[in-house]
């Protein structure tokens, strides 16, 4: 049985989990029960945890957009940093320290200005955004509760993990949505920021399995979860267009660079400086040797398969609902 916390909204904000309802049309719950709550409200967290008395808690809640964290710095710190403390404190307040296993969604953004390549569990942190800094507090408060109270609490330092359910304002989904719309004749061109940022991209399905495996071990430990492969935003664009039969040729430099379709001559991609971050994270590459050895985990979905799945899903989505 799974219990979840959902923020109150004037519109439905459960789009990505509709299929988990017993009756999606009527929002009738089966083995999934949702509670209204918020990581900024410690009282509600205590009430929910005391009522549910869970055996495992996965803290996946966050203001998780790195670029937006520069605009919402205080809110990001409150939710991503102090919010984690509120959850841990709620477990302690409810007397569940010895019966709960706690997973904290940590992030490769902790490494930021990378101090070594590839990044592993012992690599020094150097966050480069309010998001990364807030997650750094969350990381260490989890370690503190583990050592101070003997709570089974782990940090999963997950590198970028994507799927068709990714939010529309994240770069991978923005690319797959835009390419799908161009394929269907609904769009001509879209804009991106730093085309040369390189990331270690995996599939969310593989990474969620790793989260679960971390809580099935005998002793709580922190793990890096990654593929070990690095691809640029530019490459993600090229692969996405290639899947719909278009070849992108790059022209110009910096903010004047454009991506032109070799077959038609049309410009489909431009660069807009507004999408650049004040402090950029240029390169992230994870080393998941520890997870391979101790969790017997390895990624199954390749980069090419991930891109194909996301583009195919968005072509289907946009064909049925162009305004999605």
């Amino acid at each position: 049985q799974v219990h979840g916390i959902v923020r109150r909204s004037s519109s439905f904000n459960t789009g990505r989990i509709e299929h988990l309802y017993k009756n999606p049309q009527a929002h009738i719950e089966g083995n999934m029960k949702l509670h209204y709550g918020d990581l900024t409200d410690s009282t509600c967290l205590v009430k929910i945890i005391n009522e549910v008395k869970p055996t495992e808690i996965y803290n996946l809640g966050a203001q998780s957009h790195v670029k937006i964290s520069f605009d919402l710095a205080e809110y990001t710190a409150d939710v991503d940093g102090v919010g984690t403390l509120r959850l841990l404190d709620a477990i302690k307040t409810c007397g569940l320290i010895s019966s709960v296993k706690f997973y904290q969604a940590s992030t490769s953004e902790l490494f930021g200005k990378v101090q070594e390549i590839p990044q592993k569990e012992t690599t020094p942190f150097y966050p480069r955004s309010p998001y990364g800094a807030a997650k750094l507090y969350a990381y260490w408060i989890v370690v503190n509760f583990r050592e101070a109270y003997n709570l089974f609490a782990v940090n999963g330092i997950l590198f970028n993990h994507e799927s068709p359910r990714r939010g529309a304002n994240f770069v991978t989904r923005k690319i797959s949505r835009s390419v799908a719309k161009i394929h269907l004749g609904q769009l001509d061109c879209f804009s991106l920021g730093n085309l040369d940022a390189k990331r270690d991209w995996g599939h969310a399905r593989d990474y969620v399995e790793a989260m679960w495996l971390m809580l099935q071990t005998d002793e709580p430990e922190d793990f890096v979860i990654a593929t070990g492969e690095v691809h640029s935003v530019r490459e993600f664009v090229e692969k996405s267009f290639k899947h719909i039969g278009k070849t992108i040729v790059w022209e110009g430099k910096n903010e004047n660079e454009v991506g032109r379709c070799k077959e038609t001559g049309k410009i489909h991609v431009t660069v807009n400086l507004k999408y650049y971050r004040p402090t950029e994270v240029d390169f992230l590459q994870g080393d998941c040797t520890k997870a391979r050895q101790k969790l017997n985990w390895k990624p199954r979905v390749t980069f090419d398969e991930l891109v194909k799945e996301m583009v195919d899903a968005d072509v289907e989505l946009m064909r049925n609902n162009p305004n999605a």
Side-chain angles (χ1 to χ4, degrees), residues 67 108 191 303:
K67 173 69 166 66
S108 58
S191 298
F303 178 71

Side-chain angles (χ1 to χ4, degrees), residues 8-290:
R8 166 74 179 99
S9 172
S10 57
S11 56
F12 281 118
N13 55 359
T14 53
R16 294 184 219 165
I17 56 171
E18 293 289 333
H19 61 292
L20 297 176
Y21 283 106
K22 186 176 181 180
N23 184 333
Q25 285 73 36
H27 281 203
I28 294 173
E29 300 160 337
N31 290 333
M32 174 186 72
K33 180 172 174 54
L34 298 180
H35 305 258
Y36 282 115
D38 200 293
L39 284 168
T40 62
D41 185 341
S42 56
T43 305
C44 81
L45 297 177
V46 170
K47 285 179 180 177
I48 294 167
I49 289 173
N50 190 54
E51 177 191 337
V52 174
K53 291 187 170 51
T55 52
E56 296 180 351
I57 293 178
Y58 296 83
N59 179 25
L60 313 183
Q63 191 299 103
S64 59
H65 198 289
V66 178
K67 173 69 166 66
I68 292 172
S69 78
F70 286 94
D71 301 318
L72 299 177
E74 183 182 338
Y75 175 73
T76 301
D78 194 16
V79 174
D80 301 15
V82 184
T84 304
L85 171 62
R86 292 187 186 104
L87 261 181
L88 292 166
D89 248 342
I91 293 169
K92 184 165 168 278
T93 299
C94 295
L96 299 177
I97 286 283
S98 60
S99 60
V100 164
K101 291 186 173 184
F102 182 86
Y103 173 86
Q104 167 62 17
S106 210
T107 171
S108 58
E109 289 288 330
L110 293 177
F111 299 119
K113 191 175 180 180
V114 298
Q115 302 300 292
E116 68 175 339
I117 297 172
Q119 297 89 54
K120 52 184 181 289
E121 290 81 5
T122 54
T123 302
F125 298 134
Y126 196 141
R128 295 266 283 174
S129 64
Y131 170 77
K135 284 286 192 176
L136 184 62
Y137 174 84
Y139 173 93
W140 282 115
I141 203 65
V142 167
V143 173
N144 183 247
F145 266 68
R146 182 167 70 212
E147 295 177 351
Y149 306 112
N150 204 29
L151 172 67
F152 191 112
V154 304
N155 286 291
I157 307 172
L158 272 55
F159 280 65
N160 293 58
H161 43 289
E162 315 294 325
S163 86
R165 294 198 184 102
R166 182 56 125 164
N169 61 347
F170 286 81
V171 67
T172 50
R173 186 75 198 292
K174 182 176 181 180
I175 294 167
S176 65
R177 279 167 52 90
S178 300
V179 168
K181 288 190 170 191
I182 288 170
H183 178 61
L184 296 171
Q186 299 167 1
L187 185 72
D188 289 325
C189 184
F190 64 101
S191 298
L192 295 171
N194 182 6
L195 294 170
D196 294 314
K198 293 182 172 65
R199 291 293 183 269
D200 184 329
W201 275 302
H203 197 292
R205 185 168 56 242
D206 288 339
Y207 286 44
V208 170
E209 181 191 22
M211 296 178 193
W212 179 79
L213 285 170
M214 285 179 218
L215 295 195
Q216 312 316 309
T217 58
D218 293 330
E219 296 294 327
E221 294 184 74
D222 304 325
F223 289 91
V224 162
I225 302 298
T227 69
E229 285 186 20
V230 175
H231 301 274
S232 65
V233 173
R234 186 188 300 276
E235 190 178 348
F236 202 106
V237 171
E238 292 167 354
K239 295 263 187 186
S240 298
F241 274 106
K242 187 177 180 182
H243 184 55
I244 62 163
K246 289 180 179 286
T247 307
I248 292 296
V249 179
W250 301 101
E251 302 172 358
K253 286 187 177 181
N254 302 322
E255 67 268 27
N256 297 316
E257 187 169 10
V258 298
R260 189 185 298 275
C261 177
K262 183 179 179 181
E263 289 77 17
T264 65
K266 288 183 178 179
I267 292 175
H268 289 316
V269 187
T270 60
V271 172
N272 192 324
L273 293 178
K274 79 175 185 177
Y275 296 121
Y276 277 71
R277 303 172 185 176
T279 42
E280 184 59 72
V281 173
D282 296 310
F283 185 95
L284 291 173
Q285 180 180 19
D287 178 356
C288 67
T289 301
K290 181 180 175 183

